Amino acid sequence: MCGIVGYVGGQCALDVVLAGLRRLEYRGYDSAGVAVLADDGGLAAAKKAGKLANLEKELADRPLPSGPTGIGHTRWATHGGPTDANAHPHLDNAGRVAVVHNGIIENFAELRAELAERGHALASETDTEVVSHLLSESFSSCGDLAEAMRQVCRRLEGAFTLVAVHADEPDVVVGARRNSPLVVGVGDGENFLASDVAAFIAHTREAIELGQDQVVELRRDGVVVTDFDGAPADVRPYHVDWDASAAEKGGYDYFMLKEIAEQPKAVADTLLGRIDETGTLSLDEVRIPAAELREVDKVVVVACGTAYHAGLIAKYAIEHWTRIPCETELASEFRYRDPILDQRTLVIAVSQSGETMDTLMALRHAREQGAKVLAICNTNGSTIPRESDAVLYTHAGPEVAVASTKAFLTQLVACYLVALYLGQVRGTKWGDEVRGVVRELSEIAREVEEVLETMEPVRELARSLADKNTVLFLGRHVGYPVALEGALKLKELAYMHAEGFAAGELKHGPIALIEKDVPVVVVVPSPRGRSVLHDKIVSNIQEIRARGARTIVIAERGDAAVRPYADHLIEIPPTPVLLQPLVATVPLQVFACELATARGNEVDQPRNLAKSVTVE
Ligand code: F6R
């Protein structure tokens, strides 16, 4: 939520900052703004409500001076509507300091009142603006922007990433971090600050992870990191293992289409190197000793949105393969119900971004209660893995489209790996069984590819439903979370009423929603293996069809039993029951993406959303 960029170096700061904002726009697109320090010692800023394109148009009409130091911001509004006045950067009354911010300053009302009493005139409704005024006051007394930032941060409550410049220190950019992300990009004669490495990946792949409650002072030739009291801080440099092309559309109309197409590779990459030559799973990053994993008597998966759906599927795999009770819970609900946790509980936090505040707060709560936390995460060095006892990284590469696709499939793979690993360590799965499932998982990449090659009828079907108001989704067993995920994708992209149900639950109420021609997507389990499950859902399809529903059936290739009841049949390759979500979800992603396009919606940046949700 909100994207931040800072730059100091030998290039035109405005160009670097705008290019960085283009890559961060997925984080929020309610407004955008920049501030640069001009060669003549002045500070110039521009900001505009709406997407970055509005700001770029404004800058084309009224260019800012070029200078080597600058900051920028793309906003997802929290305090104050998406107006020009509330757009960042926020300046002090003298126009000498400019600040951009991601997060929420919880004590802003009190600070605002205090500033007003001292004669400051605040021009916006934001919580951020207090920081520019406080920085201005502190800088007047200490003459050092980094020190001023430390003084101000000690007064702030809440979550904040702040980046600031001051006209009196034109070769310095200062950043601060509490809870929200901020990464340093280390260049040659230039340095960068950003919410996400994507903003500077075209310039450098060397990065430094900033820790909690740290302040960074950035100059052309150096980076100094301290804590909020000014003591030197330990930092962790790392190399980003993907390059700028991974964050480009690469010929696709939308990032989402590219990311859907990248799924076979993302799945394969997430499996890579995780099984040794003896067929044993070796999850090096899972640093929780085997002895402790053997003691675990309960697993709780916490996550939000799409990641939560991956967690719901994980529950089936964990309980089936390890026989340990597993609960999956929405991270935003978790800590408020006083969950029962202790040293024998393993909490698995699933997050693409590694920055989702609800998930972060849930994991902090779990650790405070003595539970061990394992993160499943796609973003190296982000807060959730940093604060966990162990991490299993998914290797989906950067996911830019707001709607999660390839991250979801790789989260599933990681959840299966964790479940198998627990089974291996605890002896509930023998080596040959683990190897067998890993072999089946390895084949899934090719099967996802196969599904992708047969998606034209799904796109056609989606276009034919563009004027519908409601689509329902049904599933049983692991197909139920797939139905929830299909409905979520449709809501967020096509802005349609979409709901997922457990198929068996339909008769307990939701069946009243079925009327003539309502499209109902049904995810059918394999007819092999658990055929009872399959038979039950075939009956459910008949029940809804009898009431006029238009049935869209996702079923295994060759499943003859569903054919008579499917108005539209989407065939997927046969897979083991537990692994079916890896192939069954793909048509639903394509369906939602095509429906959104047919309805004229913005696929990569759906309304009201932001990719990384860093507020609770
Ligand atoms: C939906 C979507 C969101 C995220 C959720 C969690 O397509 O992308 O529901 O899954 O906000 O985000 P992460 O995984 O970054 O914690």
Side-chain angles (χ1 to χ4, degrees), residues 304-307 350-354 356 402-404 411 488-489 492 613:
C304 303
T306 288
V350 187
S351 173
Q352 187 285 130
S353 61
T356 300
V402 165
S404 191
Q411 284 163 354
L488 176 63
K489 287 283 99 83
E492 67 182 324
V613 186

Side-chain angles (χ1 to χ4, degrees), residues 151-168:
Q151 289 175 8
V152 171
C153 286
R154 293 199 292 265
R155 300 212 51 205
L156 303 180
E157 288 165 20
F160 46 85
T161 293
L162 296 161
V163 173
V165 287
H166 197 296
D168 294 347

Side-chain angles (χ1 to χ4, degrees), residues 404-462:
S404 191
T405 53
K406 61 176 179 170
F408 176 68
L409 257 58
T410 58
Q411 284 163 354
L412 287 180
V413 170
C415 287
Y416 293 132
L417 289 177
V418 169
L420 288 173
Y421 185 67
L422 283 173
Q424 176 180 283
V425 167
R426 297 165 66 93
T428 50
K429 280 263 139 204
W430 300 112
D432 55 336
E433 293 174 286
V434 172
R435 264 194 302 281
V437 183
V438 172
R439 205 174 312 113
E440 284 162 342
L441 271 171
S442 315
E443 279 164 22
I444 294 282
R446 194 179 34 76
E447 281 151 9
V448 172
E449 187 85 66
E450 230 177 87
V451 175
L452 288 170
E453 282 161 10
T454 56
M455 284 298 94
E456 195 41 47
V458 173
R459 281 189 280 269
E460 226 170 82
L461 170 67

Side-chain angles (χ1 to χ4, degrees), residues 54-338:
N54 292 0
L55 174 70
E56 288 175 317
K57 187 168 171 303
E58 163 92 0
L59 289 170
D61 296 341
R62 292 193 300 116
L64 290 187
S66 69
T69 308
I71 60 176
H73 187 266
T74 173
R75 179 170 188 242
W76 187 83
T78 56
H79 289 60
T83 60
D84 287 357
N86 290 333
H88 300 211
H90 290 283
L91 275 56
D92 65 331
N93 285 149
R96 305 292 289 166
V97 55
V99 175
V100 292
H101 167 220
N102 174 22
I104 293 178
I105 295 165
E106 284 165 4
N107 57 336
F108 89 99
E110 170 193 325
L111 294 168
R112 199 180 166 99
E114 194 186 287
L115 284 161
E117 245 173 57
R118 292 201 292 272
H120 293 258
L122 280 83
S124 77
E125 302 158 296
T126 66
D127 50 342
T128 309
E129 198 182 0
V130 296
V131 177
S132 47
H133 291 259
L134 290 170
L135 270 180
S136 167
E137 282 186 341
S138 289
F139 187 88
S140 305
S141 57
C142 72
D144 175 340
L145 188 57
E147 176 52 24
M149 182 63 96
R150 285 188 283 269
Q151 289 175 8
V152 171
C153 286
R154 293 199 292 265
R155 300 212 51 205
L156 303 180
E157 288 165 20
F160 46 85
T161 293
L162 296 161
V163 173
V165 287
H166 197 296
D168 294 347
E169 264 195 299
D171 49 359
V172 172
V173 175
V174 166
R177 172 177 187 271
R178 170 178 288 168
N179 289 335
S180 311
L182 189 62
V183 194
V184 180
V186 184
D188 187 8
E190 58 183 359
N191 287 303
F192 307 78
L193 272 177
S195 311
D196 176 338
V197 294
F200 54 70
I201 195 73
H203 305 278
T204 179
R205 290 166 71 179
E206 303 312 316
I208 296 175
E209 215 178 280
L210 285 185
Q212 182 73 340
D213 286 3
Q214 292 185 346
V215 165
V216 56
E217 184 185 65
L218 213 68
R219 295 173 186 270
R220 272 183 81 145
D221 50 7
V223 174
V224 177
V225 184
T226 68
D227 65 18
F228 283 177
D229 292 321
D234 285 340
V235 294
R236 196 181 76 88
Y238 65 101
H239 179 76
V240 182
D241 57 9
W242 47 272
D243 63 14
S245 64
E248 307 278 358
K249 282 190 201 151
Y252 288 88
D253 287 345
Y254 307 109
F255 278 108
M256 187 178 174
L257 287 172
K258 177 183 173 233
E259 289 161 8
I260 289 174
E262 284 171 344
Q263 293 185 111
K265 181 171 184 310
V267 165
D269 286 353
T270 301
L271 284 168
L272 211 66
R274 284 178 166 159
I275 187 148
D276 68 17
E277 53 296 340
T278 69
T280 311
L281 267 181
S282 52
L283 305 182
D284 292 345
E285 310 122 293
V286 179
R287 296 176 306 256
I288 304 171
E292 282 180 34
L293 290 177
R294 279 194 280 274
E295 291 299 302
V296 167
D297 63 3
K298 179 164 88 168
V299 178
V300 183
V301 186
V302 290
C304 303
T306 288
Y308 169 70
H309 298 153
L312 288 175
I313 293 163
K315 174 182 162 67
Y316 290 86
I318 290 170
E319 292 194 336
H320 185 68
W321 288 334
T322 71
R323 310 311 296 155
I324 313 172
C326 175
E327 297 161 13
T328 298
E329 182 144 359
L330 289 168
S332 54
E333 290 292 320
F334 179 68
R335 68 184 171 128
Y336 300 104
R337 67 164 179 90
D338 194 13

